């Protein structure tokens, strides 16, 4: 069957993925991830101490901030994040905490800044996939600097979007598809194919269990390719001396 | 098998559900919903006009605000809602908009206030289930007052939580279960058993597809009983003269 | 003389008073007070420590927060309290501090949350009358739990409104009277009939000393009945074991 | 009997009153009032239009802002007004609106800025007494400029404090008295000796009706002298050509 | 050549300068400075401690706040300072810190409040010139009270504006000149004629080096007269006993 | 003489300059400028209408926002811009307005967003130099789209920093120099070598006129090279069809 996707992709095909490391010199972990035209800069910074409500428990914390540059969207977006940004940064932080042993981190905080340079759908999943790599690099630096004996990372993690467009489940929708989708879904998966977060939302018509299942299948396929892209980017990092 | 739930329920058993209408005299639709010890006051108010970005399209809007009274939780909660409240009120609004024909509403706004009087897990799903009924009553009043020819409500909607506790899927967890759950999940379903929103989050360990499926099954069962409770509360409303 | 009050009351007659305790399970003291259609939920919470400017003096503090649910008034009220709310919560806190020996409380803070569920005039005086009882219950719990040797409460306190309507002084005006009153007055009195706070405001025409005196007389009568209602509610509280 | 007041005044004696007009060149009415060491700058500005909630009724509005310069108090005060400032500016606005025919003002707003240059007790009553004069001058300018046919001012108004110190009622307490007073009271009176606002607050011990009466007597005396001081300041204003 | 300045001054002539000390009783240093119709109240307060980011270094801090009373300008100005106020108070603080040995001050903070009572151009330079004197008086009090062995002031400082109006450089422009100037410039100079801050801004057409030089010459002349005015005000201060 | 600059540059040598266009697809003008390690993304967006206080005059407006990504500096910077950011964005907006005929722009607003991706001194001057080019591209698009008959740009503009380090004037200081400079200076110049803005600030010791002159000379040299770099970047832009 000929593809009907606006950019000619198959239903189960990701947009081109590009992952750069070391884009900013100051953060402990710095990653730029691109999913097609979507570009997100992920910076992982580690500081001593934890928020007040966590003090004295010997455990660390991981939190995320998500923002868009005004020029990342048509018609200049506002800088103030608003409710959508709050929801997204809570998702990013929650997802990545599921990959970290906070007790092993000790009373330190990893702050992950996800700044969208260009938005074309999928910014939250790109933030999680790129953010995992930034966190990995930051933890590696702690180990390299003998501040930690071993990395507190417990698993590899990626995130991917699916949508139901014109009745068909598609992987990694671009803006044009996202805009007219009946259902938007985001999935966070680990390197064993297990689920960390499932979010599916009807935009208009409710959906059937079978449609949710179809999107879960696509997500599992896409996740494998993103896990490989993370590993390839890691392999390309210049080892620290 | 003997139940291991703290309050002696079966895994597929809801807490006692109680729905009162007309609790506040001023809102167009007023509902108090109780799921066990959780109590939420839902008030639906209708005003002319829509937010600025929607003006001139002849369509209406539905938005929700969610807050907790400080005394609703142990150790006095803060009034400022914060990120969790923002996330919840976005979910409530999004879910209920899926049950409303905004074009049929015309340039009016339904604001749904969900104020938690007492919190014992499940406040967001109680807000949606009670909120749907408050919206129904408010729209009925518009029809009764000849402001609308027919209700803009397109379907009946409920929401329900599930959790994975000690490896077992349970319906409608209370606070003690919610607190130590491996997975928290919230589902919004319509009167045909179709899905409007699916949210499942690993708290610690990732989960398998089969575990998600078990929770989806429980949710479908619980939804049927909540749909009946909404209908019973509606039947008890004194018809307006 | 036939009454001219909208609800048929005599000029010196209170609306029906109803006081419930233990409405919320978490606060140390929980009271719902109703004056006619006005309903306020009063929650007294006690925490260790005092605000920064009071530290190290060995004295406690009592502060109040006052808010209205949006559905408590016609046309949906805003959540942000604004100047009126600030003025009212300062009055509540000031009045109740006059009934507490802050040195005997030690470095603890009692926070009194007064949340108006339904507003029909008199919300601030209901908050003080209900708030005194919530504070009483919270202090009793501290004594019961052996955290304090004796209650820091020094006196019983109630508050009541009066108004000048069509030239006549009336006790406890309802919304319809309040709305067209020439003078609004609020009084806080103790169990000896002494004054803790007097506030009288001309809405339009100034008023004479004799008119202030007439309202002071009515307030003294109403106060006695409210003091009895507080005692009756206290007597009904299940003793803690 | 020899006075026991810290500055040697009789119980019924005001501090020296000084009223200057035209202190700032830009406001329509500009007054600096001094009660002993207390100094307040009152500026009345008139603008076209009224706040949104009043539009289209053909009526005007009068609102007040009250602030202290940081250097007006010992230990540098904060600029943010806080609850106390909110309460005071509401009192100032409410009191002065009782002296204005808002319908005669038309859809205009008089904003009265009361900025305390030096605080030594009595800043709120000085603001009302000085503010009335600033409003009078501003309205006179509107009449002089043929924007209004007659002044919308309906009466002359002053405000004065009293206190109960060591069991004795005193007029116009200075800071040292105010600080250790058992009762603080503020009164707003018109040129007929009638009451516009009565506020009396127990600081510690409740008070008797007789003590309130004694303060009301002193206030009536002090008001007469302040009414004269306003008239003298008016008489000294250079007539506008 | 006949002057073309609106108030008849020569191009190199300051407006009348008036400096009063001790205007407010509470601040450690209190100065009112007037440049023609511009009037600024400068209050220097000293407190123990420094901002968090400076703690533990044994050094002090000097910071400034700049605000305008609403009645200081035509058409009532807003109280919120906004970007312009932020820029000005940063300039004031930065300039005065260049005259203070922060190590000699110890961990204390001097807060300089500059409140504009009346604005007619030149408020920021008046704030610096008056602020230096207020700081001098405050430091003198610390020395007098044996809290410091010697003043931490390292030099005398003044500030002055120039403008390019109709192609001619003028000193100390008034509002009418400032309003139609091609270039606005502000200079901070010390008692050796050296520069502490230079700011020149084209309003419309760019300017030549020669025009900047002409303004620098005028500023050097004006600075000498302001340094004398500061000294004269100091000489008039009643010595503290 | 051998250079003593940390990166081996001559005193009058700029860091490598790199200017990219079209970095973001949505803004009308998009430029990334790099001065050594400093990288700033400049996005010029044009919208219809002007701020409220400018309406109805037929003139346009240009405003700037300046922000740093948290990862642009060591130790993760805060997102909230604070006073420094306010001061910088006011400078950027003021400087670029000096190059635009606002009447020729009509009632449109150009918003220039300057987001610092990596900071190593000179971010404000890079923002102005890059911002001019972004504005040029945005205006060219308006002309190309027949919305304007000709560009409202009136001149070419660049900005450059100088510093006094160890007694020597240097051009375009890097972070290490900036940090220990005695004087920081920023200059905005046009293509005729005329001045648009001069800012020089003593960090510690005041400076002499001759030192200001030396920095002005260096700035004039550096400006010529930046003007060429802007032209080269313009020449490389793909002509729009």
């Amino acid at each position: 069957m000929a593809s009907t996707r606006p950019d000619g992709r198959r239903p189960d095909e990701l947009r081109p993925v590009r992952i750069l490391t070391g884009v900013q010199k100051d953060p402990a972990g710095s990653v730029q991830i691109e999913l097609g035209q979507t570009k997100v800069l992920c910076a992982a910074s580690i500081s001593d101490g934890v928020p007040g409500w966590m003090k004295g428990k010997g455990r660390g914390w991981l939190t995320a901030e998500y923002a868009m540059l005004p020029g990342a969207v048509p018609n200049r977006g506002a800088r103030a994040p608003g409710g959508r940004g709050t929801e997204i940064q809570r998702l990013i932080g929650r997802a990545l905490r599921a990959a970290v042993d906070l007790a092993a981190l000790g009373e330190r905080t990893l702050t992950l800044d996800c700044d969208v340079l260009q938005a074309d759908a999928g910014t939250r999943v790109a933030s999680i996939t790129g953010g995992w790599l930034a966190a990995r690099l930051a933890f590696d630096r702690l180990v390299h600097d003998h501040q930690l004996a071993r990395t507190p990372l417990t698993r590899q993690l990626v995130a991917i979007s699916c949508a139901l467009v014109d009745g068909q489940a598609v992987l990694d929708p671009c803006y044009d598809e996202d805009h007219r989708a009946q259902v938007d879904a985001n999935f966070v998966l680990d390197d064993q194919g297990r689920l960390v977060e499932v979010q599916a939302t009807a935009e208009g018509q409710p959906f059937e269990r079978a449609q949710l299942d179809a999107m879960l299948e696509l997500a599992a396929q896409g996740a494998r390719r993103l896990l490989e892209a993370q590993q390839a980017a890691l392999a390309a990092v210049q080892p620290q001396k």
Side-chain angles (χ1 to χ4, degrees), chain A residues 108-120:
Chain A
R108 292 181 182 87
T109 297
L110 186 149
T111 303
L112 180 68
D113 288 289
C114 300
D115 286 273
V116 179
L117 303 181
Q118 195 161 274
D120 192 79

Side-chain angles (χ1 to χ4, degrees), chain A residues 15-229:
Chain A
R15 290 176 287 179
V17 182
R18 191 170 167 231
I19 301 180
L20 305 172
T21 58
V23 177
Q24 289 177 306
K25 66 183 168 65
D26 291 316
S30 165
V31 170
Q32 182 167 326
I33 183 168
E34 305 183 6
L35 285 182
Q37 303 238 46
T38 288
K39 301 181 190 180
V40 183
L41 198 50
C42 303
S45 306
I46 290 178
S47 57
D48 289 334
V50 287
W53 55 274
M54 286 196 65
K55 276 183 187 152
K57 300 181 183 169
R59 294 166 57 82
W61 189 239
L62 182 153
T63 185
E65 296 200 2
Y66 168 95
M68 278 202 191
L69 295 202
V73 290
N75 302 318
R76 189 177 182 267
R79 284 184 185 274
R84 177 182 170 275
T86 300
E87 191 177 276
I88 292 177
Q89 68 192 15
R90 284 173 58 85
L91 167 63
I92 299 170
R94 194 167 63 221
L96 289 178
R97 282 193 296 276
V100 178
D101 178 348
L102 295 173
L105 178 56
E107 290 214 355
R108 292 181 182 87
T109 297
L110 186 149
T111 303
L112 180 68
D113 288 289
C114 300
D115 286 273
V116 179
L117 303 181
Q118 195 161 274
D120 192 79
T123 61
R124 80 188 69 188
V125 292
S127 296
I128 293 170
T129 302
W132 179 86
L133 187 57
R136 163 73 194 259
L137 294 172
F139 289 139
D140 283 358
R141 183 180 289 190
L142 280 184
V143 173
H144 178 270
D145 294 349
H146 304 294
Q147 296 195 267
L148 283 178
R150 58 173 183 81
T151 183
L153 259 191
T154 54
R155 58 183 60 89
Q156 193 179 346
L157 220 67
V158 295
I160 186 68
S161 293
C162 294
L164 208 59
V165 184
D166 301 331
Q168 178 169 37
V170 296
L171 182 66
D172 188 24
C174 63
Y175 178 78
D176 281 347
E177 292 171 312
D178 188 59
H179 196 63
R180 57 196 179 84
Q182 176 199 345
V183 179
D184 275 334
N186 297 292
F187 303 95
V188 182
L189 298 106
D190 75 358
D191 47 356
Q192 307 298 317
R194 291 176 303 179
L195 297 160
V196 166
E197 180 104 17
V198 173
Q199 292 191 339
T201 301
E203 309 281 343
Q205 291 299 312
F207 54 102
E208 306 286 347
R209 275 285 300 280
Q211 294 174 313
L212 176 63
D213 290 343
M215 292 189 290
L216 280 159
E217 288 303 328
L218 285 178
Q221 294 178 41
R224 281 191 292 273
R225 292 199 286 276
L226 289 168
L227 289 159
E228 290 165 11

